[in-house]
Amino acid sequence: MKKLIYLDNAATTRTAPEVVDAMLPYFSEYYGNASAVYDFGGKSKEAIARARETIAGILGAKDNEIYFTAGGSESDNWALKAAAEAYQDKGNHIITTKIEHHAILHTCQYLESRGFEVTYLDVDEQGVVKLDQLRAAIRPTTILITVMFANNEIGTIEPIAEIGRIAREHGILFHTDAVQAFGQVPIHVDELNIDMLSASGHKLNGPKGIGFLYIRKGVKIRSFVHGGAQERKRRAGTENVPGIVGLGRAAELAASTMEERTARERELRDYLLDRVLREVPFTRVNGSRANRLPNNANFCFQFIEGESLLIMLDMKGICGSSGSACTSGSLDPSHVLLAIGLPHEIAHGSLRLTLGADTTKEEIDETIEAVKEIVAQLREMSPLYEDYVKKHN
Ligand SMILES: *Cc1c(COP(=O)(O)O)cnc(C)c1O
């Protein structure tokens, strides 16, 4: 393979070698069914229990509050659909935000088609949820508040402690999509009053197709997959043992390296943000500078199309993204960038670069040079830019 500079870690990450090593024995050596009576199946059962314990420990939760799923999308779907159904006697109103991942937004739309009412909160120009709007949106019929821990596009970290407190004061269930935050920022479910939390393996150097949903004890929740008795009868199906083992190992690694790793990423990321802002004219950084995921950089370059920039970066072996992974391929500007108040033509010129544990200074330097060169090249071809220059000369 040709040289690759991978700066799309918010879309997915490399499975860490330590994680692969931990998983391997559970394919061909310990392949027993965890539900079996014989001791050999017990090996799988023990491995699942260990992973559950590890994850619970990191969150300050109990083992039996962690339910393994097939990833972030499934966890989000489960949390929302099952809570809506279980609490419909109390009411039919759900509060979320305009900047959620589509796994939340599209599930909310589905629930609306089933008679639920959803309030989509605005965010400020940095992408932070407006707490006064949240308070004002609460009704006697509100059964669930779901706000993401950190945004996948612009990296803004939401005021989760405050939202948790408001939800608790009103006796409303609080779910957070922590797919981007888990492994990047410390999370304690009791301190933050979180009742349900979604996370995904492949966003934290674990395998794809595995995740979990934390469900606080006492929360009424329905089974999501009916069948066998796995996951305390709530999510049937023979367990993805290698995946669960990998997720447990990835979570353990992420927690133990968090301080050092994120400090390094933050420093490199700030270097990237500052240099691009300084060296590329007509550029803005999207999202909060203060409350931001350590590995996220998101820019808008005026007068150009983000898609063209991505294609030309790709020709240099640099992987980035514009909008979220799911919206790539569509030409609509990102709903997140529109929600922070950017006009369409600016939102179109966006670039997200997300660093990983292995990202080097050399890679960042090379990327900055490439961005400078390509943006200048694209602007030369841009009629918008030509107009602008004419008007201002
Ligand atoms: C990636 C992502 C998801 C979806 O997770 P999958 O494991 O890919 O299904 C959900 N929410 C957020 C914020 C994400 O970044």
Side-chain angles (χ1 to χ4, degrees), residues 233-309:
K233 294 193 186 157
R234 272 142 170 203
R235 203 274 186 182
T238 301
E239 297 90 343
N240 173 0
V241 183
I244 291 170
V245 168
L247 173 58
R249 186 74 182 104
E252 190 176 36
L253 277 173
S256 66
T257 62
M258 187 185 290
E259 220 178 285
E260 203 184 329
R261 170 175 46 87
T262 57
R264 211 184 134 266
E265 283 177 357
R266 196 173 285 116
E267 192 182 325
L268 260 185
R269 189 273 317 272
D270 287 339
Y271 171 75
L272 168 65
L273 290 177
D274 293 338
R275 265 197 70 189
V276 170
L277 271 182
R278 207 169 47 232
E279 296 175 31
V280 185
F282 308 110
T283 297
R284 55 165 282 147
V285 168
N286 301 312
S288 166
R289 279 302 292 254
N291 297 310
R292 188 183 195 96
L293 287 173
N295 70 337
N296 174 290
N298 190 308
F299 305 96
C300 278
F301 302 103
Q302 248 177 289
F303 313 115
I304 67 161
E305 291 279 347
E307 298 293 317
S308 319
L309 176 54

Side-chain angles (χ1 to χ4, degrees), residues 26 59 89 110 130 144 154-156 162 194 210 282 330 385:
Y26 293 92
L59 290 171
D89 293 347
Y110 165 80
K130 297 181 174 171
L144 175 70
I154 57 176
T156 299
E162 284 85 342
I194 294 166
I210 187 77
F282 308 110
S330 98
Y385 187 60

Side-chain angles (χ1 to χ4, degrees), residues 172-343:
I172 300 166
L173 216 55
F174 175 37
H175 167 259
T176 186
D177 174 342
V179 173
Q180 291 292 333
F182 183 67
Q184 295 270 40
V185 291
I187 302 176
H188 193 289
V189 288
D190 285 345
E191 283 168 12
L192 299 172
N193 289 317
I194 294 166
D195 296 312
M196 293 189 281
L197 176 146
S198 306
S200 176
H202 74 102
K203 301 287 174 78
L204 64 144
N205 300 102
K208 294 171 179 59
I210 187 77
F212 69 86
L213 179 64
Y214 157 79
I215 309 175
R216 179 179 294 283
K217 189 166 180 291
V219 168
K220 279 193 287 177
I221 194 101
R222 300 294 161 88
S223 301
F224 193 58
V225 180
H226 301 273
Q230 294 90 354
E231 303 300 297
R232 286 171 296 288
K233 294 193 186 157
R234 272 142 170 203
R235 203 274 186 182
T238 301
E239 297 90 343
N240 173 0
V241 183
I244 291 170
V245 168
L247 173 58
R249 186 74 182 104
E252 190 176 36
L253 277 173
S256 66
T257 62
M258 187 185 290
E259 220 178 285
E260 203 184 329
R261 170 175 46 87
T262 57
R264 211 184 134 266
E265 283 177 357
R266 196 173 285 116
E267 192 182 325
L268 260 185
R269 189 273 317 272
D270 287 339
Y271 171 75
L272 168 65
L273 290 177
D274 293 338
R275 265 197 70 189
V276 170
L277 271 182
R278 207 169 47 232
E279 296 175 31
V280 185
F282 308 110
T283 297
R284 55 165 282 147
V285 168
N286 301 312
S288 166
R289 279 302 292 254
N291 297 310
R292 188 183 195 96
L293 287 173
N295 70 337
N296 174 290
N298 190 308
F299 305 96
C300 278
F301 302 103
Q302 248 177 289
F303 313 115
I304 67 161
E305 291 279 347
E307 298 293 317
S308 319
L309 176 54
L310 283 185
I311 292 163
M312 290 171 75
L313 282 171
D314 184 37
M315 293 195 291
K316 292 178 184 288
I318 300 171
C319 306
S321 143
S322 100
S324 67
C326 321
T327 27
S328 295
S330 98
L331 281 177
D332 289 336
S334 129
H335 66 288
V336 177
L337 297 180
L338 296 181
I340 62 172
L342 297 186

Side-chain angles (χ1 to χ4, degrees), residues 19-203:
V19 170
V20 175
D21 285 348
M23 292 171 72
L24 282 177
Y26 293 92
F27 286 103
S28 43
E29 199 175 337
Y30 304 121
Y31 54 82
N33 191 311
S35 307
V37 172
Y38 38 79
D39 186 50
F40 180 56
K43 290 267 189 269
S44 302
K45 197 173 164 181
E46 281 162 25
I48 294 170
R50 272 198 303 276
R52 206 186 301 281
E53 195 182 306
T54 301
I55 291 165
I58 292 168
L59 290 171
K62 297 179 208 59
D63 295 6
N64 61 8
E65 295 174 320
I66 304 297
Y67 297 84
F68 291 113
T69 66
S73 299
E74 183 186 314
S75 297
D76 285 346
N77 270 262
W78 183 7
L80 268 56
K81 289 175 185 166
E85 191 191 321
Y87 288 85
Q88 60 188 343
D89 293 347
K90 186 189 164 205
N92 70 339
H93 181 232
I94 294 167
I95 300 175
T96 187
T97 78
K98 289 185 176 161
I99 61 163
E100 298 298 308
H101 189 273
H102 285 126
I104 296 288
L105 288 178
H106 291 173
T107 305
C108 283
Q109 284 162 17
Y110 165 80
L111 289 170
E112 283 180 297
S113 78
R114 299 269 151 162
F116 288 88
E117 289 175 21
V118 182
T119 300
Y120 299 89
L121 299 175
D122 291 319
V123 294
D124 69 15
E125 61 286 349
Q126 309 212 310
V128 180
V129 170
K130 297 181 174 171
L131 293 176
D132 49 341
Q133 222 185 66
L134 167 62
R135 282 196 199 89
I138 293 172
R139 309 174 190 170
T141 52
T142 306
I143 52 173
L144 175 70
I145 296 172
T146 174
V147 176
M148 67 198 327
F149 206 112
N151 184 266
N152 47 302
E153 291 187 37
I154 57 176
T156 299
I157 299 173
E158 298 298 337
I160 293 300
E162 284 85 342
I163 298 167
R165 209 171 301 132
I166 293 168
R168 187 58 58 91
E169 274 165 23
H170 290 81
I172 300 166
L173 216 55
F174 175 37
H175 167 259
T176 186
D177 174 342
V179 173
Q180 291 292 333
F182 183 67
Q184 295 270 40
V185 291
I187 302 176
H188 193 289
V189 288
D190 285 345
E191 283 168 12
L192 299 172
N193 289 317
I194 294 166
D195 296 312
M196 293 189 281
L197 176 146
S198 306
S200 176
H202 74 102
K203 301 287 174 78

